[in-house]
Amino acid sequence: MIENNIIRRRTWANLKKKKQIMIIKDGAVTKNALQVITIIGEIEGHDNLPATSKATKYEHMLPKLAEIEMDKDIKGVLFIMNTVGGDVSAGLALAEMIASMKKPTVSLIIGDSHSIGVPLAVSTDYSFIVPTATMIIHPVRMNGTLIGVQQTYDYFERISDRITSFIAAHSSVSKERVEEMMVDTTQLSKDLGTVLVGRQAVEEGLICEVGGISDALAKLDSLIDKQ
């Protein structure tokens, strides 16, 4: 009986040892460890959205991105996007944060990336869009009371310039072309702007390539290997 217990303990110890070796071997994957971040629904700003709304909270995302940047075990980040846009200030803050990361980043638009979602989509090192996904570029809109003076229009122009400059700096499309797409009157029935579906976003130079999850992961792996 004692001998059987000893054998069992040794067998269990060997199994644990083998399991540990397997974990270390799988840990080779850790050298290419990937972090997946979703940007979905509406980009929530300084005001809380209703509890029934799907939202990406930027005050949660910013420290998460900082944590990822400091984590030596994470080698690359995949951003999966399906957003209708939202708060301009919060969206640009997230986009600037992503763009400033040294770790390889790839974005994948799987549904929509509208409005302030456009700077978010182009903020990564490389970007993908599935064939049926859409991007909408339109002028800045604001809720609440507006004062009809020149300063208000100047303020809107400065906000718009921040967005178009960022998009142009992180994609292959020119700032002038982005501004043209913003004020197109032929595509949206109740607004100005341009709708780009799948390959159209690539042809305009906003997104790098049409592809899905396997393409995005393969590209991220290659960026990690290059780094």
Side-chain angles (χ1 to χ4, degrees):
M1 187 70 177
I2 295 173
E3 288 180 0
N4 288 339
N5 287 337
I6 292 172
I7 291 171
R8 286 197 189 99
R9 283 198 296 271
R10 286 177 178 171
T11 304
W12 177 241
N14 288 335
L15 285 171
K16 285 174 70 179
K17 188 176 180 181
K18 286 180 181 178
K19 188 177 180 183
Q20 187 177 11
I21 291 171
M22 285 179 64
I23 291 170
I24 292 170
K25 284 183 178 177
D26 288 341
V29 179
T30 325
K31 113 183 150 56
N32 281 353
L34 309 180
Q35 177 76 48
V36 178
I37 298 288
T38 56
I39 298 178
I40 60 172
E42 189 170 346
I43 309 301
E44 187 178 78
H46 304 292
D47 297 321
N48 290 331
L49 290 170
T52 54
S53 298
K54 292 284 186 183
T56 297
K57 298 178 180 292
Y58 89 107
E59 74 273 21
H60 294 171
M61 285 283 289
L62 291 177
K64 180 63 177 176
L65 293 174
E67 181 184 341
I68 291 170
E69 184 70 2
M70 293 185 290
D71 192 333
K72 294 180 180 179
D73 292 329
I74 297 175
K75 304 303 180 184
V77 191
L78 172 64
F79 293 90
I80 299 178
M81 301 189 179
N82 187 7
T83 175
V84 295
D87 187 279
V88 171
S89 177
L92 274 180
L94 287 174
E96 290 283 10
M97 190 78 161
I98 294 169
S100 65
M101 296 177 75
K102 290 185 177 180
K103 297 193 176 183
T105 55
V106 170
S107 63
L108 170 62
I109 304 171
I110 58 169
D112 304 307
S113 191
H114 297 174
S115 191
I116 201 62
V118 176
L120 285 165
V122 304
S123 64
T124 55
D125 297 322
Y126 204 86
S127 55
F128 287 89
I129 185 170
V130 298
T132 58
T134 63
M135 303 182 79
I136 294 181
I137 302 173
H138 63 71
V140 176
R141 294 175 295 194
M142 189 174 292
N143 297 325
T145 303
L146 299 178
I147 303 174
V149 294
Q150 184 61 45
Q151 290 90 330
T152 299
Y153 298 105
D154 291 343
Y155 178 64
F156 269 83
E157 188 175 352
R158 285 197 296 272
I159 295 175
S160 180
D161 185 66
R162 289 164 59 199
I163 295 170
T164 55
S165 296
F166 184 92
I167 293 171
H170 294 87
S171 69
S172 299
V173 66
S174 68
K175 185 172 181 289
E176 290 73 24
R177 178 57 183 151
V178 177
E179 291 170 347
E180 285 176 12
M181 288 190 284
M182 269 189 171
V183 295
D184 191 328
T185 60
T186 63
Q187 296 196 34
L188 300 174
S189 59
K190 296 182 179 180
D191 199 355
L192 304 178
T194 300
V195 182
L196 301 171
V197 182
R199 184 163 296 281
Q200 291 176 329
V202 177
E203 292 170 352
E204 285 288 353
L206 278 172
I207 299 299
C208 301
E209 192 175 336
V210 174
I213 183 67
S214 59
D215 303 299
L217 289 172
K219 182 62 180 180
L220 189 52
D221 278 336
S222 71
L223 291 175
I224 292 170
D225 289 340
K226 284 180 182 178
Q227 191 179 64

